[in-house]
Amino acid sequence: MRIAVLLPCYNEELTIGKVIADFQRELPDATIYVYDNNSKDKTAQIAREAGAVVRREIRQGKGNVVRSMFRDIDADVYVMADGDDTYPAEFVHNLMQPVIDDEADMVIGDRHSDGSYGSENKRPFHNFGNHFVKGLINRLFRSGLRDIMTGYRVFNRRFAKTMPVKSEGFEIETEMTLHALDKRFRIVEIPIAYRDRPPGSESKLNTFSDGIRVLKTVFWIFKDYKPLAFFSIIALVLFILGLLVGIPVITEFFASGRIAKMPSAILAVGLMVLATNSLTCGFILDTIVRNHRDEYELRQSDYHG
């Protein structure tokens, strides 16, 4: 069985050597790949000296790195972690087992169940953002996942080779979770411990800009994967606005037989037409998405990776 450990890295010279050594200890037969994303320090040199296969991804962003990893690397089991030593390598066996036993297509390292993420992570807005996005996705897809945005994951070959990576940055974890939920991949969550970065190692995350990018990803996924619900909400808003504008006009007409508020009448009709068009778009796009999902399932059944 070919096992590939994937480590996206950007300026991780303080920790990458230890991370590689930890995974070499736990998985001595695995090939460890470090994709250097334009680091300005000695990350690539240290990783190469530690025995990893080092490659470079010139397009900045973790999503671009993951896209290249999935396309370039052939393996039976893919282990993805970060190069900042926040995910203990000793949990990798627990994460790999469901994939090896063919019980899961993607295994998620759940940081929240044991409470370590909330206590170790010193960025309270990240904790809030994680819970907000988790609640939104769980409600949207009627799932019960506990950790949507963890970077510690294990995939089988089927998932890695058939996932279209669209994100460029740190929203890639959210995209992988959304893709797995929408395409009904088997997901298993395994509790893991989380530790914050060691002193001197700086996070590349930006609370507000990365949070906005994640929310934009959720918004577009909502529109693309759940178009009937998305456009129905828009139609409902437009319908309510049309009623608010149109009720006084209708009341006036029944009382006097005349319409004096002609601009309001035109606006109300326009809002109702837009609401109808939005709902119609939702039904049409929902049919297209269902057909696309059926075609994807057929391609999956023909996949023998």
Side-chain angles (χ1 to χ4, degrees):
M1 179 173 291
R2 297 169 299 171
I3 302 173
V5 178
L6 315 180
L7 301 175
C9 286
Y10 174 64
N11 292 341
E12 302 290 3
E13 64 177 4
L14 294 178
T15 55
I16 188 59
K18 179 180 181 300
V19 173
I20 293 172
D22 289 346
F23 277 105
Q24 287 173 334
R25 181 189 69 244
E26 299 295 332
L27 300 171
D29 296 327
T31 303
I32 300 177
Y33 295 89
V34 171
Y35 271 60
D36 178 43
N37 197 202
N38 302 315
S39 295
K40 298 177 177 61
D41 58 11
K42 298 179 180 179
T43 296
Q45 176 185 339
I46 294 173
R48 194 174 291 110
E49 293 173 352
V53 177
V54 178
R55 296 176 180 174
R56 187 184 178 198
E57 172 53 60
I58 62 174
R59 294 169 296 181
Q60 197 67 39
K62 188 175 182 179
N64 292 321
V65 175
V66 173
R67 183 186 301 108
S68 295
M69 285 177 162
F70 283 175
R71 289 178 179 176
D72 298 346
I73 298 171
D74 286 320
D76 300 303
V77 178
Y78 297 78
V79 178
M80 190 176 77
D82 289 339
D84 55 10
D85 197 30
T86 54
Y87 299 115
E90 53 266 27
F91 287 91
V92 71
H93 302 286
N94 295 339
L95 269 63
M96 287 174 52
Q97 201 59 49
V99 172
I100 294 173
D101 294 340
D102 196 27
E103 297 175 352
D105 300 297
M106 178 174 69
V107 179
I108 296 174
D110 171 23
R111 304 164 294 176
H112 296 298
S113 291
D114 72 342
S116 61
Y117 184 77
S119 60
E120 286 289 326
N121 184 20
K122 305 303 188 298
R123 301 178 293 273
F125 283 108
H126 278 264
N127 290 331
F128 170 78
N130 284 339
H131 288 295
F132 175 76
V133 174
K134 177 181 68 175
L136 191 63
I137 292 176
N138 280 335
R139 180 176 294 273
L140 182 61
F141 288 91
R142 298 178 182 178
S143 60
L145 296 178
R146 297 184 295 272
D147 196 347
I148 299 290
M149 304 171 71
T150 178
Y152 203 1
R153 298 168 185 252
V154 176
F155 316 95
N156 61 14
R157 179 179 172 82
R158 182 188 300 271
F159 184 92
K161 291 301 183 182
T162 61
M163 178 184 168
V165 178
K166 302 176 184 178
S167 303
E168 296 184 354
F170 282 98
E171 66 272 27
I172 178 61
E173 286 93 354
T174 305
E175 182 183 356
M176 286 189 289
T177 302
L178 289 167
H179 176 73
L181 288 170
D182 181 71
K183 296 302 186 294
R184 299 183 179 92
F185 280 103
R186 298 167 298 173
I187 305 173
V188 173
E189 287 188 297
I190 303 293
I192 63 168
Y194 175 88
R195 55 194 177 212
D196 205 8
R197 285 173 168 266
S201 177
E202 296 183 0
S203 174
K204 315 312 184 294
L205 297 175
N206 183 288
T207 300
F208 296 102
S209 64
D210 288 330
I212 290 174
R213 293 180 72 175
V214 169
L215 289 177
K216 285 173 62 178
T217 299
V218 173
F219 174 83
W220 289 113
I221 292 291
F222 188 16
K223 178 182 70 69
D224 293 341
Y225 290 167
K226 302 287 185 179
L228 182 57
F230 180 84
F231 285 99
S232 293
I233 292 174
I234 295 177
L236 179 62
V237 172
L238 292 171
F239 179 77
I240 293 174
L241 291 175
L243 284 180
L244 292 176
V245 175
I247 286 177
V249 176
I250 295 173
T251 302
E252 180 190 40
F253 175 77
F254 281 111
S256 63
R258 301 175 56 190
I259 298 178
K261 301 177 181 178
M262 189 58 66
S264 296
I266 296 174
L267 177 60
V269 171
L271 289 171
M272 289 301 182
V273 171
L274 289 175
T276 303
N277 289 343
S278 179
L279 190 60
T280 302
C281 288
F283 279 112
I284 294 173
L285 292 174
D286 184 68
T287 301
I288 295 174
V289 167
R290 288 176 182 273
N291 291 334
H292 177 267
R293 189 177 292 119
D294 292 340
E295 293 175 2
Y296 187 90
E297 290 291 334
L298 291 174
R299 291 199 301 269
Q300 287 286 305
S301 64
D302 293 335
Y303 181 81
H304 299 291

